[in-house]
């Protein structure tokens, strides 16, 4: 599986090169920006972070620009396969770089995680802490990145590298997601996504398949304050069980390049985690 990151990055860069070649005939009519010829700051698209929920945006980062989307703090508590677990995540950050007008590359860094697990109710918990796994991602917008149409569609792929030891998932993982965003009104957007993962169960020492459909509605109450509600589910081949969560919370647009969010994940089914989080997005 060590060849996965190489193929992943090669495919992403090849896609970017193909885009540049396809756009060349139109360069006289409209400037085409690249990693080395960044989009002027006055022409940056509206900030569209993938956070705070599972549903990603169908938009990419403007070429030549950098974006950080960080879980400053997240706590998860619940049961999985009958075992009680709690996770504290600090500065789990997604680092994004726009390399073409429709493609960006991303690196997910799990900076510090504290895990507790209670195999038996009355026993002391088992503890693990430290640096987590690294994830390489690429997103390709299919249409709508220019903001002129009401809908936008993208495809994103990822490969997770098991760098976290006892804190991480303990094995190579990969997946693909297809997000679609539709502008309902000037102040409202609907985003839907289908995501499929090839995941690793650290305790069982084997891989399994999971599917994660999700849908989010964002609404801006004014220029600073917005709200969102997300319904997401998770099904995997280990138990053939649907786990469903409702994520809700406010978003604060502090500037054109900065957004603060916080919220809660409310479990709607059994064996689903409670979550509370605080996040920040910065674009340069």
């Amino acid at each position: 599986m060590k060849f996965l990151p190489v193929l992943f990055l090669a495919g992403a860069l090849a896609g970017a090169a193909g885009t540049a070649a396809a756009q060349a005939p139109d360069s006289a009519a409209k400037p085409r920006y690249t990693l080395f010829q960044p989009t002027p700051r006055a022409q940056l698209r509206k900030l569209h972070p993938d956070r705070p929920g599972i549903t990603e945006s169908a938009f990419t980062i403007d070429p030549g620009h950098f974006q950080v989307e960080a879980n400053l703090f997240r706590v998860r508590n619940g049961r999985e396969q009958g075992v009680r677990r709690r996770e504290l995540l600090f500065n789990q950050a997604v680092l994004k770089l726009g390399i073409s007008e429709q493609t960006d590359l991303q690196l997910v860094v799990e900076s510090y995680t504290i895990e507790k697990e209670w195999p038996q109710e009355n026993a002391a918990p088992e503890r693990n802490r430290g640096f987590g796994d690294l994830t390489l991602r690429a997103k390709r917008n299919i249409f709508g990145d220019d903001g002129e149409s009401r809908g936008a569609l993208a495809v994103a792929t990822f490969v997770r590298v098991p760098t976290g030891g006892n804190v991480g998932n303990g094995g190579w993982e990969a997946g693909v997601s297809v997000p679609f965003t539709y502008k309902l009104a000037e102040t409202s957007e609907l985003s839907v996504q289908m995501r499929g993962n090839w995941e690793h169960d650290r305790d069982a020492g084997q891989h399994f398949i999971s599917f994660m459909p999700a849908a989010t509605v964002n609404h801006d109450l004014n220029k600073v304050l917005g709200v969102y509600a997300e319904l997401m589910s998770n099904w995997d081949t280990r138990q053939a069980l649907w786990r469903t969560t409702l994520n809700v919370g406010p978003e604060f647009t502090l500037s054109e390049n900065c957004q603060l969010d916080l919220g809660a994940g409310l479990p709607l089914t059994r064996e689903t985690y409670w979550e509370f989080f605080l996040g920040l997005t910065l674009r340069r």
Side-chain angles (χ1 to χ4, degrees):
M1 299 301 298
K2 295 183 178 180
F3 62 89
L4 277 175
V6 177
L7 294 178
F8 171 80
L9 293 176
L13 293 175
T19 301
Q23 293 174 342
D26 299 328
S27 59
K30 180 182 178 181
R32 299 296 181 181
Y33 301 109
T34 66
L35 175 61
F36 303 106
Q37 186 181 356
T39 303
R41 296 193 66 82
Q43 299 180 28
L44 290 179
R45 298 188 284 259
K46 178 183 176 181
L47 189 65
H48 275 100
D50 286 337
R51 59 169 305 105
I54 296 297
T55 313
E56 302 175 22
S57 161
F59 301 93
T60 58
I61 308 304
D62 289 276
H65 291 269
F66 179 75
Q67 188 163 306
V68 179
E69 301 177 16
N71 265 318
L72 301 179
F73 173 76
R74 179 182 290 263
V75 57
R76 304 177 71 239
N77 190 59
R79 293 179 180 274
E80 188 173 356
Q81 296 181 328
V83 178
R84 180 185 169 198
R85 291 184 172 91
R86 179 182 298 161
E87 294 179 346
L88 300 175
L89 300 96
F90 299 92
N91 193 33
Q92 188 178 31
V94 182
L95 313 178
K96 298 182 176 183
L97 178 64
I99 60 173
S100 79
E101 292 190 340
Q102 292 178 281
T103 306
D104 63 39
L105 295 180
Q106 308 174 16
L107 174 66
V108 183
V109 181
E110 299 175 4
S111 300
Y112 192 73
T113 301
I114 301 174
E115 294 181 346
K116 291 184 179 181
E117 182 176 300
W118 288 262
Q120 298 179 1
E121 285 295 333
N122 298 323
E126 298 177 359
R127 293 181 174 88
N128 292 301
R129 64 183 66 194
F131 186 85
D133 295 335
L134 291 174
T135 304
L136 307 173
R137 288 173 44 90
K139 183 191 290 187
R140 170 74 175 180
N141 175 266
I142 307 302
F143 64 82
D145 230 359
D146 55 9
E148 296 178 1
S149 60
R150 300 190 69 170
L153 179 70
V155 176
T157 60
F158 77 87
V159 172
R160 182 171 291 117
V161 185
T163 57
N166 290 333
V167 173
N169 287 352
W172 290 84
E173 298 181 331
V176 60
S177 59
V178 181
F180 174 76
T181 301
Y182 185 77
K183 188 174 182 180
L184 299 172
E186 191 63 32
T187 57
S188 302
E189 287 183 344
L190 169 66
S191 296
V192 296
Q193 173 181 281
M194 175 54 75
R195 175 173 167 178
N197 301 324
W198 181 66
E199 299 187 61
H200 185 261
D201 187 326
R202 184 177 61 192
D203 296 330
Q206 62 185 13
H207 285 87
F208 63 95
I209 303 297
S210 69
F211 297 98
M212 300 175 65
T216 303
V217 174
N218 297 78
H219 178 68
D220 295 331
L221 299 175
N222 53 49
K223 291 184 178 180
V224 176
L225 177 61
V227 292
Y228 68 89
E230 177 186 51
L231 189 65
M232 60 84 58
S233 288
N234 186 0
W235 181 92
D236 64 60
T237 55
R238 293 175 300 177
Q239 293 181 290
L241 174 70
W242 283 104
R243 302 177 180 89
T244 304
T245 301
L246 175 65
N247 296 318
V248 293
E251 297 173 314
F252 302 92
T253 302
L254 306 182
S255 74
E256 293 182 351
N257 301 302
C258 180
Q259 177 178 295
L260 181 71
D261 63 73
L262 56 95
L266 310 176
L268 301 181
T269 57
R270 63 189 180 90
E271 295 209 5
T272 305
Y273 284 82
W274 288 88
E275 296 191 35
F276 300 95
F277 52 85
L278 172 67
L280 180 68
T281 298
L282 293 172
R283 178 173 63 181
R284 293 283 297 173

